[in-house]
Structures are given as structure tokens and as C-alpha cells.
Amino acid sequence: MITSYISHSECMLHDMGPWHPESPHRISSINQQLERSALAQELQHYNARPATEEQIIRVHPKAHVLSLELSQPEENAPLVQIDDDTLMNHQTMHAATMAAGAVVRGTEQVLKNQADNVFCAVRPPGHHAERVESMGFCFLNNVAIGVEHARQNFGIKRIAVIDFDVHHGNGTVDIYKNDPDVLVCSSFQHPFFPWRFVDSEWDNIINTPLNAGCNGPEFRKLVEASWLPALQIHRPEMIFISAGFDAHKDDPIGEINLVDDDFFWVTKMIMDVARTYSDGRIVSVLEGGYSLSALGSATHKHIEALKGL
Ligand SMILES: [Zn+2]
């Protein structure tokens, strides 16, 4: 398998303060883990390019993007608070544009057969970013910007977004809730942040709530039972993964007890679906994961699976 790894050092310029779990060190811990095991040498490495305004405003109205840009503080000015724990520094929009651009680049690589699948090691994350509301450490919905690129530039019709972050992908649900061509499958601890869209009234939104303390075998059973039938009906031509690793048992925020092998398993399960319906096309995008060591090891397992190891 040709697995492409797309990142950019400028994704680390967004910094919400030394106490904040969504820190630039998250990207370095993934890189270190990949380099230690030599898996890094088996990947094709690319730098992200910033998403263009045209690509971003397919998902977020121009006025919303402009208001984010206007909210951003000057260099050396205090951080600007967007919600209780989402803050902007002077480089936030630069990093967010780069994160979204990584997904656009990954989408192109997969659809031009330059890679079998892609992992985007980016931040800030995106799955909580609704169409007109930034929240939960997220500013732009990186995955949705990739989805729209696949649809509008390559004519891909049916897409699935699979989100195994410990938090519900409310942003992606908000964007696609009335768009049956995009199937969104999200597993999440419940009840838990962000407490939105939990009762799905839409056939294309598959919610898989998990009780606190849920372990790997329970998780596997629940996602298989809820996601697979929906994916078999939807027959996605391409799959995006909102790859959050905060359902790991060592994560300081989530209370779900997955281990590294569960992330390997869920990735393989998604790859089986992609092989059957989607010509193997997968673009996986980093979302949460706040224990630096668990983030490094679980992401490593995820990428090993993508690479076909
Ligand atoms: Zn999360």
C-alpha cells in the first residue's frame, strides 16, 4: 500500500497556552513515534498547502470565515477566547487553513491514484466546527472541506465520514444532516461534550453512543452493528476518517477504555469497507487525542493498518 503522510510545521503555530491539552506537542509525539519504529520511512511524506478561500467557503459561509479572521489577535496580544476552551493566537487561522489544505491535498492524491490512502497529521482539529460555529478546539471542519473537494472537483457522489473520536462529530453532522449523499457514522462517549445532535432524526447520520467505561470488545460490537449495515446500503465511493484517539484508556479527557489494538481493528474494518465499495480510497484526518504517549502509539497502529501491515 502507498500511504501518504501529510502534515506541516505551521500546524504547530496555533497554540492555546501551556496548560491546554490540544497542544503543538501532539504532532511531535506522533512524528517521534513513527520515527522511532522506522514506520516513518515507509510513508510518502508531503507538506500541506493552505486551503484556498474558495475551498473553505464551500463549507463555511464567507462571513463566518471573515469573522474568525477578524477575531484573531495581533502578535503579542492576549489569546482570544471563542468558547470555554477554544482560543485563538495570532497564527490560528494560518494553522487552520493549513490543516484543511492537508485534507484537500490528501483527497487529490487518493483520487489521482498517487496514494492508496492518506493520513493527515494536522491541528487544529475540525470535527466540532459547525457550518457557522467554531467550538471544541475546532475552527474549520477539515474533513468537510476535503469532502467538498472530492465532490466538487472530482465528481464523487457518495461519501462516508467515519468518526471514532471520543466526542461526537457534531460539526460534521451539522454540515451534512440534510445531505443524504454523505453518510456520517460517529461513535462517542455519551453523555459528554458537545451534547448536540445526539438524537439523530436523519437517515444518513448514524450515532453510536458509548457508555463511560466502554471497552474494546463492547466498542467493536457496537460499531460493527451500527456502522456496517449503513455503509453497505450507502456504498461510499470514498471514505474520510475523523481519527480521534481520545477514546484510548490512557486519555486524560475521555472515559472510554480502548487500547492501541482497537484502533488497528477499527482501521482494518474501515479498510475492508473501502476495498469493497470505494476502490480502497481513504483519507484519514487527526482529530482529538490528548495523552501524548497514547496518541503516539494509537496513531502508529492506525497508520500501520492503513499501510497494510
Ligand atoms: Zn475528541
Side-chain angles (χ1 to χ4, degrees):
M1 297 290 268
I2 299 175
T3 297
S4 165
Y5 184 85
I6 307 182
S7 192
H8 202 290
S9 57
E10 291 177 8
C11 285
M12 293 157 91
L13 298 176
H14 162 64
D15 192 338
M16 298 188 279
W19 56 271
H20 204 294
E22 204 292 280
S23 83
H25 300 300
R26 298 176 62 235
I27 305 282
S28 359
S29 80
I30 294 172
N31 286 334
Q32 280 161 13
Q33 189 88 15
L34 293 175
E35 277 154 26
R36 254 202 304 271
S37 75
L39 180 56
Q41 294 163 28
E42 301 194 41
L43 307 172
Q44 312 277 336
H45 292 260
Y46 295 92
N47 266 329
R49 304 184 186 115
T52 63
E53 185 189 75
E54 184 195 353
Q55 291 160 353
I56 294 169
I57 65 173
R58 290 164 172 170
V59 170
H60 304 288
K62 197 168 177 171
H64 174 59
V65 179
L66 190 64
S67 89
L68 280 173
E69 279 161 2
L70 291 171
S71 305
Q72 181 168 285
E74 298 291 327
E75 191 171 359
N76 301 322
L79 299 176
V80 168
Q81 198 154 359
I82 300 293
D83 73 14
D84 284 351
D85 38 32
T86 308
L87 302 106
M88 300 181 95
N89 74 350
H90 68 292
Q91 299 275 28
T92 295
M93 288 310 285
H94 191 70
T97 305
M98 204 54 98
V103 187
V104 169
R105 186 160 196 194
T107 301
E108 289 196 350
Q109 289 185 345
V110 163
L111 290 172
K112 290 180 176 172
N113 294 317
Q114 293 162 342
D116 293 305
N117 54 42
V118 173
F119 182 75
C120 299
V122 293
R123 59 180 290 282
H127 74 148
H128 294 307
E130 298 185 354
R131 206 175 272 286
V132 291
E133 189 161 348
S134 302
M135 58 183 284
F137 315 167
C138 301
F139 301 88
L140 302 176
N141 196 305
N142 304 321
V143 162
I145 290 167
V147 167
E148 291 315 306
H149 194 65
R151 300 212 293 182
Q152 299 188 32
N153 286 48
F154 292 87
I156 298 291
K157 196 163 181 289
R158 293 182 316 281
I159 290 180
V161 178
I162 299 183
D163 185 332
F164 54 72
D165 190 279
V166 82
H167 302 98
H168 187 225
N170 64 291
T172 314
V173 170
D174 173 59
I175 293 162
Y176 292 114
K177 58 189 187 296
N178 293 311
D179 191 339
D181 286 337
V182 181
L183 175 73
V184 182
C185 300
S186 180
S187 60
F188 52 92
Q189 183 177 327
H190 176 68
F192 206 37
F193 180 88
W195 301 287
R196 286 153 95 104
F197 302 119
V198 169
D199 296 317
S200 169
E201 50 199 271
W202 307 277
D203 290 342
N204 65 315
I205 307 298
I206 307 298
N207 282 338
T208 309
L210 310 170
N211 293 325
C214 173
N215 61 23
E218 289 161 352
F219 166 80
R220 294 182 189 202
K221 217 160 64 187
L222 288 166
V223 302
E224 250 178 358
S226 54
W227 295 354
L228 285 183
L231 287 161
Q232 283 156 2
I233 292 169
H234 191 67
R235 304 173 67 88
E237 295 163 79
M238 180 167 183
I239 299 179
F240 287 79
I241 304 178
S242 269
F245 299 94
D246 41 8
H248 194 284
K249 67 175 177 46
D250 295 336
D251 192 273
I253 293 182
E255 297 163 307
I256 300 295
N257 292 320
L258 302 192
V259 297
D260 293 347
D261 277 336
D262 295 313
F263 293 101
F264 186 84
W265 175 86
V266 73
T267 310
K268 284 289 188 195
M269 188 200 83
I270 298 167
M271 288 175 73
D272 284 343
V273 174
R275 245 191 313 275
T276 306
Y277 301 111
S278 331
D279 202 16
R281 297 162 178 153
I282 295 175
V283 175
S284 176
V285 183
L286 180 64
E287 300 284 1
Y290 305 102
S291 151
L292 292 179
S293 64
L295 173 63
S297 61
T299 307
H300 191 282
K301 279 285 181 188
H302 174 62
I303 295 175
E304 263 182 48
L306 288 175
K307 180 74 191 145
L309 300 174

